[in-house]
Amino acid sequence: MTDARRPLVAGNWKMNGLTADGVALAKGVAAHAADAAAEVAVCPPFTLIGAIGGAIGSGAVVLGAQDCHTASSGAHTGDVSAAMLADAGCGMVIVGHSERRTDHGEDDALVRAKAEAVQAHGMTAIVCIGETEAERDGGQTLDVVTGQLAGSLPDGSDAANTVVAYEPVWAIGTGRTPTNDEVQEVHAAIRQALAGRFGDDVADAMRILYGGSMKPGNAAELVALADVDGGLIGGASLKTEDFAAIIDACG
Ligand code: PGA
């Protein structure tokens, strides 16, 4: 974390949340975010975007989504476009989460096209990358992560329209995390790759989040790392107290 970049704490609710609980959670988060140093976002499932947008109002919390289609509209049954999400009040959209890459066969080219759609509609793409356990064990982590970064980020990416989220697949929902040194090593490699492609100014300003079993107990040490600028939080974003504690750790 550095003063040059405002930390971002983004909650990825995944396929969780019915209206009453989701609204209560969002209101609790909004009350806490009002005084937070970090920027705070919540990414509910599509069904709750309208209700959560109403619950958080125009306050400190950014409304986000978890995926979008590449097209603005058309014959794509079951899909939701970036244009629709912007219209619904979203400011951020997660793209390329490993669960989408695995469950829906999304590759870097598709993730890049989704990120382009998000950016084109004036929102910020949270672009997820991360190695599997086999890739880490095989010593391929930096190659995999920088390869995904190169393939998934649009050419027009900058610090306003893009956030990178490093999420080791084996750390998501498992309670396991890399060591602090391992996290910093990957984040530094990401920033170096960003500098090589977009220049030092963009690389210095773009936020790189850590995701994967971030919790109140480890958030402070993770965000203290030089190139960690906040977190993308799954399980711990579903409890107001836990999410609030992580927000505080990023202050
Ligand atoms: P987790 O999920 O915090 O439950 O590990 C993080 C994510 O998948 O974004």
Side-chain angles (χ1 to χ4, degrees), residues 44-95:
F46 290 137
T47 48
L48 288 188
I49 283 182
I52 300 306
I56 61 178
S58 56
V61 179
V62 179
L63 184 62
Q66 300 172 19
D67 181 43
C68 68
H69 197 273
T70 56
S72 293
S73 62
H76 303 287
T77 302
D79 280 313
V80 173
S81 75
M84 292 168 173
L85 296 172
D87 180 58
C90 289
M92 296 186 178
V93 183
I94 299 167
V95 294

Side-chain angles (χ1 to χ4, degrees), residues 12 14 97 99 167 171-174 211-214 232-236:
N12 173 13
K14 308 194 181 186
H97 191 280
E99 287 151 16
E167 299 203 309
I172 294 174
T174 60
S213 298
M214 192 186 265
L232 181 57
I233 323 297

Side-chain angles (χ1 to χ4, degrees), residues 99-188:
E99 287 151 16
R100 303 264 348 147
R101 291 178 185 262
T102 303
D103 296 354
H104 300 273
E106 296 192 5
D107 61 11
D108 290 338
L110 180 59
V111 174
R112 176 182 172 138
K114 290 183 176 199
E116 278 169 354
V118 172
Q119 295 171 351
H121 288 88
M123 300 179 290
T124 297
I126 302 177
V127 181
C128 301
I129 54 178
E131 83 286 359
T132 64
E133 185 156 29
E135 288 163 346
R136 176 160 285 274
D137 290 346
Q140 300 166 276
T141 297
L142 296 185
D143 284 347
V144 168
V145 168
T146 55
Q148 288 178 333
L149 186 76
S152 302
L153 284 198
D155 283 337
S157 298
D158 61 30
N161 66 19
T162 307
V163 170
V164 175
Y166 167 56
E167 299 203 309
V169 177
W170 53 272
I172 294 174
T174 60
R176 299 164 57 207
T177 57
T179 66
N180 292 341
D181 286 350
E182 287 168 341
V183 171
Q184 172 55 26
E185 179 188 33
V186 176
H187 279 237

